[in-house]
């Protein structure tokens, strides 16, 4: 008896798996090394560790810039509320 020649995965073929397999577009003209092959650029083309460091640095820079803008625009309203409370209710 000859087993199934196509051993794509170790997952047992259930109706859900078969349905998912049919949904995958395997057209080599659209996906693959053909005329419209998609190549990674930017952070996606970097080595994994370098890409992670660049992504983390950019996230940190955006977070710090956002925090600075918030403090400048809103003037840290939480701190102002605490100061107003102690002005109205001085400690004894």
């Amino acid at each position: 008896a000859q087993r199934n020649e196509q051993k794509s995965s170790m997952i047992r073929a259930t109706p859900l798996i078969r349905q998912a397999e049919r949904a995958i577009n395997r057209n080599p003209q659209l996906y693959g090394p053909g005329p419209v092959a998609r190549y990674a650029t930017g952070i996606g083309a970097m080595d994994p560790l370098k890409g992670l460091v660049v992504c983390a640095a950019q996230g940190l820079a955006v977070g710090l810039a956002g925090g600075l803008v918030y403090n400048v625009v809103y003037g840290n309203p939480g701190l102002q509320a605490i100061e107003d409370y102690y002005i109205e209710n001085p400690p004894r």
Side-chain angles (χ1 to χ4, degrees), residues 15-52:
L16 184 64
I17 298 294
R18 283 191 208 103
Q19 185 179 6
E21 286 288 324
R22 280 194 303 270
I24 296 172
N25 188 349
R26 290 193 172 83
N27 185 346
Q29 296 298 320
L30 294 177
Y31 303 96
V36 289
R38 286 139 176 100
Y39 298 104
T41 58
I43 293 177
M46 294 180 185
D47 291 331
L49 182 59
K50 183 179 179 186
L52 175 67

Side-chain angles (χ1 to χ4, degrees), residues 2-85:
Q2 201 174 29
R3 287 265 179 175
N4 192 359
E5 292 293 324
Q6 185 182 15
K7 283 190 172 181
S8 61
S9 68
M10 298 295 290
I11 300 173
R12 193 180 83 209
T14 62
L16 184 64
I17 298 294
R18 283 191 208 103
Q19 185 179 6
E21 286 288 324
R22 280 194 303 270
I24 296 172
N25 188 349
R26 290 193 172 83
N27 185 346
Q29 296 298 320
L30 294 177
Y31 303 96
V36 289
R38 286 139 176 100
Y39 298 104
T41 58
I43 293 177
M46 294 180 185
D47 291 331
L49 182 59
K50 183 179 179 186
L52 175 67
V53 169
V54 168
C55 185
Q58 288 177 354
L60 182 65
V62 168
L64 287 174
L68 180 65
V69 168
Y70 180 84
N71 262 347
V72 168
V73 171
Y74 292 108
N76 205 344
L79 185 62
Q80 188 62 41
I82 293 171
E83 288 176 358
D84 291 343
Y85 173 81

